[in-house]
């Protein structure tokens, strides 16, 4: 037994600790929870990572990593997360308990800041020691546990960690490590690929990946496993998020596959006599009263219409199979079906794609940690061509929109390094404002030069607001060379904006933005051109999509959507020839 003066030394080692709080960590729990981390090297106090199936009450465990040191006592603060809070006992003290095995019976716990109660408490302080011994605490020991309420994934940070040795001296380098509490979000991030059929013999529900909640159809199939199966029975247990719908007669909205010729098949909700929300599942018996023909392996047995509120699992129970002789098939089982809706912000965003082969304008993919303001970058893939100017439309996504400046113009800026100072941006359709704008048009060129833009250059950037993952499509992409000729095969590629791994929607062709065709008056010293309607362009989001060159394929459109072409049959682009004409006029004037 150590002297009491040594015990006093242990307490003195903690001293008067200035209270300083660490900021709560980022919430976890999208997709699959990571494996709990091993203990840190120490010396340290740390909270074990905790993976839960659902929100509710739980217990956190605080442990010691001695790091080769003798640790007789510890102190640390725990900073609460918005989703994870230590509960209070009836006396208002933290609902924590020291591990009796370490014999530190003077341990105390107090909410922080001093005098707080309920939601005003932002953390707690724990001092682990004994007034009658300074015995070292075994490495890896549980110091204490606390009962917590968990509303979602979160991080409990450790602050002001201290350790004292049996002589009452502070342990150098003593630290603390946070604890992650993770609740996996069903369907977080990218949905896994549907699993193949089981080996069988079994009834199984095919995995189903959806883009959004709503109505859907589940498919129940047979894996014969080399057996002859003439009939099956199974129950489906509903998930809180996935339920089979009812027909107008109150029966399950399911239908047997007519191709298997089992016309006596029946479906009934479970438990018997239930209706609506009181039904927790259904029973399906697949058979025929007039034949015992084997059902082909891999056949669809039946389908059911379901309502899906979110990701979930439909379990299969009481699975039975019978052969053509009416004998039960040994080892017959059932496999659940997973219904997955990717949760925006879940999992890991895919790596941004490389530039397309070109020639093309493309929007760089953008991965974000959270929704909010961001910047998109539009670049040139020259594809071995000399490109002096470009035009393209950007079609907005419901979740991603280009912001407006105070003057109502798109909040975009040309890259000054490419020296295209006549570049312009305009929202589409012409005259729109706010939510009525469905996209923008960008024309990148210069009135005083037709220098080629270096391959890979940033053409321009735009400030955007991001509410979630989405895709900005590129339409009406055009490119012109230094001679004013349209660049054949010039295309555009969409840009995916991903927030915390949510897979953006699959790009689909978008209708061309509306255009106007008034007569354009060009300033003096440049030829006057008459606007004519261009051929209808069908935009595409594929990098390989290319508008078909025609006699007017060098046409570009001004920022208000107007088409401008040269007089006669010339295929030269006005906005590239104009500077050339000016240069020629100046040279003649000098002669």
């Amino acid at each position: 037994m150590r002297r009491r003066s040594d015990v006093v030394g242990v307490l003195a080692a903690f001293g008067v600790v200035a209270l300083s709080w660490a900021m709560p960590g980022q919430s976890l729990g999208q997709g699959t929870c990571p494996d709990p981390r091993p203990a840190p090297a120490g010396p340290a106090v740390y909270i074990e990572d905790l993976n839960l199936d659902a929100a509710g009450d739980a217990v956190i465990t605080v442990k010691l990593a001695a790091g080769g040191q003798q640790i007789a006592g510890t102190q640390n603060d725990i900073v609460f997360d918005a989703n994870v809070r230590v509960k209070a006992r009836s006396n208002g003290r933290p609902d924590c308990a020291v591990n009796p095995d370490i014999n530190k019976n003077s341990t105390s716990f107090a909410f922080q800041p001093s005098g707080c109660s309920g939601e005003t408490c932002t953390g707690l302080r724990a001092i682990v020691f004994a007034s009658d011994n300074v015995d070292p605490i075994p490495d890896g020991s549980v110091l204490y546990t606390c009962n917590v309420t968990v509303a979602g994934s979160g991080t409990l940070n450790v602050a002001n960690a201290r350790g004292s040795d049996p002589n009452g001296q502070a342990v150098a380098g003593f630290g603390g490590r946070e604890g992650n509490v993770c609740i996996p979000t069903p369907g977080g991030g990218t949905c896994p690929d549907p699993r193949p059929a089981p080996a069988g013999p079994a009834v199984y529900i095919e995995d189903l990946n959806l883009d959004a909640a709503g109505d859907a159809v589940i498919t129940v199939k047979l894996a014969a496993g080399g057996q002859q199966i003439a009939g099956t029975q199974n129950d489906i247990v509903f998930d809180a998020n996935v339920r089979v719908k009812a027909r107008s007669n109150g029966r399950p909205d399911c239908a047997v596959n007519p191709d298997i010729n089992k016309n006596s098949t029946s479906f009934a909700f479970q438990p018997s006599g239930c209706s609506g929300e009181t039904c927790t599942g259904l029973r399906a018996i697949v058979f025929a009263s007039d034949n015992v023909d084997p059902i082909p392996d891999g056949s669809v047995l039946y389908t059911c219409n379901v309502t899906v509120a979110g990701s979930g699992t439909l379990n299969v129970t009481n699975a039975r199979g019978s052969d053509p002789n009416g004998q039960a098939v040994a080892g017959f089982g059932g496999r659940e079906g997973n219904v997955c809706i990717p949760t925006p912000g879940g999992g890991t965003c895919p790596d941004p794609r490389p530039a397309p082969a070109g020639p093309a304008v493309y929007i760089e993919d953008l991965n974000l940690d959270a929704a909010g303001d961001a910047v998109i970058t539009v670049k040139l893939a020259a594809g071995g061509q000399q490109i002096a100017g470009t035009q393209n439309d950007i079609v907005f996504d419901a979740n991603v929109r280009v912001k407006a400046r105070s003057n109502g113009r798109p909040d975009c800026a040309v890259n000054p390094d490419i020296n295209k100072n006549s570049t312009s941006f305009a929202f589409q359709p012409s005259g729109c404002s706010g939510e009525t704008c469905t996209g923008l048009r960008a024309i990148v060129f210069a009135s005083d030069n037709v220098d080629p833009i270096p391959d890979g250059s940033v053409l321009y950037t735009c400030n955007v607001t991001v509410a979630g993952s989405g895709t900005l499509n590129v339409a009406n992409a055009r490119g012109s060379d230094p001679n004013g000729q349209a660049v054949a095969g010039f295309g555009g590629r969409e840009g995916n904006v991903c927030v915390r791994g949510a897979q953006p929607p699959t790009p689909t062709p978008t209708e061309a933005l509306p255009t106007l065709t008034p007569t354009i008056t060009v300033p003096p010293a440049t030829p006057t051109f008459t606007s004519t309607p261009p051929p209808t362009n069908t935009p595409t989001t594929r990098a390989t999509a290319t508008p078909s060159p025609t006699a007017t394929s060098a046409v570009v459109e001004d920022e208000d959507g107007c088409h401008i072409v040269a007089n006669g049959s010339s295929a030269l682009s006005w906005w590239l020839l104009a500077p050339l004409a000016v240069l020629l006029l100046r040279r003649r004037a000098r002669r």
Side-chain angles (χ1 to χ4, degrees), residues 459-481:
L459 296 173
Y460 59 93
T461 58
C462 294
N463 291 312
V464 296
T465 55
V466 180
S469 296
T471 296
L472 292 171
N473 284 310
V474 172
N476 297 321
R478 307 281 194 278
S480 184
D481 67 21

Side-chain angles (χ1 to χ4, degrees), residues 22 29 87 119 127 150 164 188 220 249 402 576:
K87 300 172 74 172
E119 294 297 316
I127 302 177
V150 180
S164 182
V220 183
N249 60 4
V402 172
L576 293 177

